[in-house]
Amino acid sequence: MPAVLGAAWALLAAAFLALLLLHRAQARRHGGGTDIASAFLQDLIRYGKTKRGGGQQAAWLRRLQVPKRWFTHFYVVSILWNGFLLMRLFQAEFLGASLPPWIQIFHSAFGRELQNQNTDSERFSALLVLLLLWLHSFQRLAECLYTSVFSNGVIHIVQYCFGLGYYVAVGSTVLCQVPTNVRKGKELSVQIFWYHVIGIVMYIWASLHQHRCLVILANLRKSKSGKVLSLSHSIPFGDWFERVSCPHYFAELLIYISMAITFGFHNVTWWFVVMYVFFNQTLAAVLCHEFYQEKFTSYPKHRKAFIPFIF
């Protein structure tokens, strides 16, 4: 059963890879497509500034949109759900408390079986990753509330519902990386290994750059005093924007890679999560890169879409 989680994340990654390839094929063939199927696909994968058509969209498509600022809800759900999982797992591992019966059933069904003697390290790694995930959600919520300046952009209702479910699923996946049937009354012994240190340092580094890039985007719409002057789009400069169009997406990928490192490199399920994040963020970055290139004739030609110097 533990393999089911990895297969599910691999399937999601494959789905976003397919969407990316389909989008590229449509763009090469006839500029994105004009038939109903193509229009629906483009409407489904685009959000915010990359949406096309605006008020000229069919009425049935407009009814499937919600404000992009509702991104904030994703992080509220993540803080509540993953904070709850973190608290209960901490109590179970350090204070001898029992997990709720429904969590025990879920964990027994999808959790990792005992495979080696280094179970304390694996359990502590999972706790650290769940903590990093919770901190990341807290940072993103704060940025949505106090840093970002949202325009009147929209997202598809399917994207919105998927985003809500995503943070429940990813936190639950971390919980299931804790080896099952290993406690037997024994308290967790904290063992900090080199990969924990590297993972946390990389997480902090990527998070700082992500925040800086979001501040740069927000400042394009603000005066020096912090007053919002415009909701229009401009070319961002500074920090990683000098190399890629979407450095905040690249930083997101690095954050999830840092969690894979914190797991000790060998957690296959989490690498499938990283693969999903890679293709998901690649699709979003390609759409943003195309938007910048179409809107600004003076857009820097040396910038890549997502990964510096590569793609």
Side-chain angles (χ1 to χ4, degrees), residues 200-215:
I200 291 173
V201 169
M202 182 175 177
Y203 168 84
I204 294 172
W205 173 67
S207 297
L208 286 174
H209 278 284
Q210 185 178 59
H211 179 71
R212 289 174 186 168
C213 293
L214 291 172
V215 169

Side-chain angles (χ1 to χ4, degrees), residues 9-173:
W9 285 109
L11 185 61
L12 272 177
F16 274 88
L17 172 60
L19 288 172
L20 174 63
L21 296 176
L22 189 57
H23 165 72
R24 301 289 279 185
Q26 286 184 349
R28 285 193 299 268
R29 189 167 61 248
H30 42 60
T34 56
D35 57 277
I36 294 177
S38 296
F40 180 74
L41 172 65
Q42 292 297 321
D43 188 59
L44 185 64
I45 65 176
R46 295 176 181 273
Y47 60 88
K49 61 179 174 287
T50 65
K51 281 283 187 185
R52 289 175 174 171
Q56 285 134 17
Q57 284 184 322
W60 69 276
L61 284 176
R62 291 199 300 272
R63 284 195 290 269
L64 297 175
Q65 315 299 332
V66 297
K68 182 188 173 185
R69 63 177 58 91
W70 284 15
F71 264 60
T72 306
H73 302 170
F74 300 166
Y75 307 116
V76 172
V77 168
S78 180
I79 288 171
L80 294 176
W81 173 250
N82 295 319
F84 168 74
L85 292 182
L86 180 63
M87 178 185 67
R88 298 312 296 256
L89 189 57
F90 180 88
Q91 291 174 338
E93 298 294 358
F94 285 100
L95 304 179
S98 298
L99 292 171
W102 60 273
I103 290 185
Q104 292 185 36
I105 294 172
F106 180 80
H107 189 219
S108 296
F110 294 97
R112 298 186 58 222
E113 297 296 335
L114 176 59
Q115 296 175 335
N116 54 55
Q117 298 302 314
N118 199 22
T119 55
D120 275 355
S121 174
E122 294 184 55
R123 291 153 64 197
F124 184 60
S125 296
L127 274 170
L128 282 179
V129 171
L130 196 53
L131 175 62
L132 294 180
L133 181 64
W134 185 85
L135 289 174
H136 178 57
S137 301
F138 191 86
Q139 175 184 325
R140 292 295 294 116
L141 177 61
E143 288 165 342
C144 285
L145 293 176
Y146 303 111
T147 302
S148 299
V149 180
F150 290 105
S151 64
N152 295 321
V154 296
I155 59 175
H156 199 282
I157 187 65
V158 173
Q159 291 175 311
Y160 174 72
C161 294
F162 181 84
L164 292 176
Y166 166 76
Y167 283 100
V168 173
V170 75
S172 302
T173 299

